[in-house]
Amino acid sequence: MPELPEVEVVRRGVATHAVDRTVSSVEVLHPRAVRKHGAGADDFSARLAGRRMVAARRRGKYLWLELGDAREEGAARGGIAPPLGPGEALLTHLGMSGQLRVQPEQAPDEKHLRVRLRFDGGGDELRFVDQRTFGGLSLVSLVHADGVPVPAPIAHIAPDPLEPTFDRETVVEAMRARRTGVKRALLDQSLISGVGNIYADEALWRAKLHWARPTATLTRPAVRSLLEAVVDVMHDALRAGGTSFDALYVNVNGESGYFDRSLAVYGQNGRECPECGAAVRRDTFMNRSSYTCPGCQPTPRNAHW
DNA sequence: CTCATGCCCTGCTGGC
DNA sequence: TGCCAGCAGGGCATGA
């Protein structure tokens, strides 16, 4: 499952292989992959063709490729200017199973290939492959939020913990003001973005907090150490190239990360906690799994289920 | 406004 | 061997 560290690995790959290239043609093989693009697949393809990728950026689990000025490029291509101005981007979310792959044009189509981008001059293609179709692409305009250009549809999402604009103390106060459980707050993208189920469980384990602990009962130092744990686990995962349980997460070259070997509790039901040796337990919460060590993260008396 | 819940989607796994 | 329930889960719409 791609979460922030995995998306960052993909961003780096896309920055290397797609930035400074100009899209020559776009093929949408499954309309659901561009469902967020309101004007439809044909419009998506027509507008993206001829645009130059100028930068690869990320907030949380969203990744976008900033596009060069369409009018100049359109003029250069014989006056067939797409009706877009500057300040736009190709926005992507990988969902659960989305992949951006750099592939030679002669490579056979992947079974779940959804969108193909070809570039001027031929060579490698950029492919969006997605088994479960929770992910997708769209063309969006950029707006300024706190002085940072972000895609308009995700302007409501909070900075992620690896961004320079992330203000830890703001998040500490916002979390303590919530009347909910700490994991639900960690997964709330309007408070802090980029934290998914895997890294939420790992950070809670490192901070020795149970997922059902009410945020209102946490001291400021406890929230600070939780946010530090989030940053630490994400940095560790990034160094390992991300977490891959199966072939669903790979980088743009199709390679898996190996952080799954370093997971303390996530997916470790019944295994020994690396800290105290107690058997890791799995609970169902928010219709998904939460893994805890009963020794290191005892259930709080006032649990917020 | 805050907080909680269900749905979208496909493929793999395990029980019978 | 085949069938089906359960599971993976981010983000959004909707309801309380």
Side-chain angles (χ1 to χ4, degrees):
Chain A
M1 320 307 148
E3 291 189 28
L4 188 155
E6 293 74 35
V7 177
E8 175 60 17
V9 172
V10 172
R11 187 198 67 77
R12 292 173 184 179
V14 169
T16 303
H17 292 97
V19 166
D20 288 334
R21 303 197 70 188
T22 299
V23 177
S24 60
S25 66
V26 179
E27 202 180 332
V28 176
L29 294 99
H30 196 306
R32 190 174 150 80
V34 294
R35 67 193 180 283
K36 295 281 169 82
H37 188 80
D42 290 346
D43 181 85
F44 174 84
S45 302
R47 288 187 181 209
L48 187 52
R51 303 298 298 269
R52 186 170 184 80
M53 314 278 202
V54 298
R57 307 195 191 281
R58 184 190 54 71
R59 165 165 283 185
K61 301 168 208 170
Y62 284 94
L63 168 62
W64 64 94
L65 284 151
E66 246 178 65
L67 302 173
D69 191 308
R71 287 165 298 187
E72 284 176 24
E73 290 172 10
R77 295 169 70 83
I80 314 163
L84 289 177
E88 284 153 351
L90 170 62
L91 177 63
T92 77
H93 195 292
L94 301 178
M96 287 180 65
S97 55
Q99 304 176 349
L100 284 171
R101 301 289 304 277
V102 175
Q103 292 278 47
E105 53 190 348
Q106 65 270 22
D109 287 3
E110 292 79 2
K111 185 177 179 189
H112 302 292
L113 177 62
R114 308 303 191 193
V115 179
R116 182 203 322 273
L117 304 190
R118 292 190 174 91
F119 295 104
D120 280 357
D124 290 344
E125 306 174 344
L126 185 63
R127 299 181 180 182
F128 179 68
V129 178
D130 191 9
Q131 179 198 103
R132 297 178 195 165
T133 68
F134 273 45
L137 314 181
S138 56
L139 280 180
V140 301
S141 57
L142 297 171
V143 297
H144 282 270
D146 301 324
V148 187
V150 294
I154 65 162
H156 63 288
I157 286 177
D160 70 55
L162 301 191
E163 280 182 76
T165 53
F166 181 78
D167 182 38
R168 195 182 65 177
E169 290 311 302
T170 299
V171 179
V172 167
E173 297 309 320
M175 276 217 177
R176 297 181 73 241
R178 288 295 171 99
R179 292 296 179 269
T180 187
V182 64
K183 184 171 176 182
R184 204 186 281 276
L186 266 187
L187 295 176
D188 185 338
Q189 306 291 302
S190 67
L191 267 179
I192 173 174
S193 68
V195 184
N197 207 33
I198 299 170
Y199 296 108
D201 279 5
E202 291 297 306
L204 287 166
W205 176 80
R206 291 186 182 207
K208 303 217 179 306
L209 291 173
H210 189 278
W211 53 265
R213 177 72 181 269
T215 50
T217 69
L218 291 171
T219 64
R220 285 181 182 83
V223 181
R224 284 187 198 114
S225 74
L226 172 62
L227 295 176
E228 280 168 16
V230 169
V231 170
D232 288 348
V233 72
M234 286 184 171
H235 277 141
D236 290 350
L238 210 41
R239 273 194 288 276
T243 301
S244 309
F245 301 108
D246 47 34
L248 288 186
Y249 162 70
V250 293
N251 68 16
V252 296
N253 300 313
E255 299 152 349
S256 297
Y258 52 90
F259 190 68
D260 57 310
R261 291 175 218 164
S262 305
L263 295 172
V265 287
Y266 186 85
Q268 309 299 310
N269 199 19
R271 298 231 181 91
E272 285 185 9
C273 165
E275 190 71 22
C276 75
V280 170
R281 62 176 281 182
R282 172 183 175 273
D283 298 301
T284 300
F285 164 68
M286 291 172 76
N287 291 321
R288 60 203 56 174
S289 296
S290 284
Y291 298 91
T292 49
C293 165
C296 299
Q297 304 161 273
T299 309
R301 280 188 301 277
N302 48 2
H304 195 295
W305 304 107

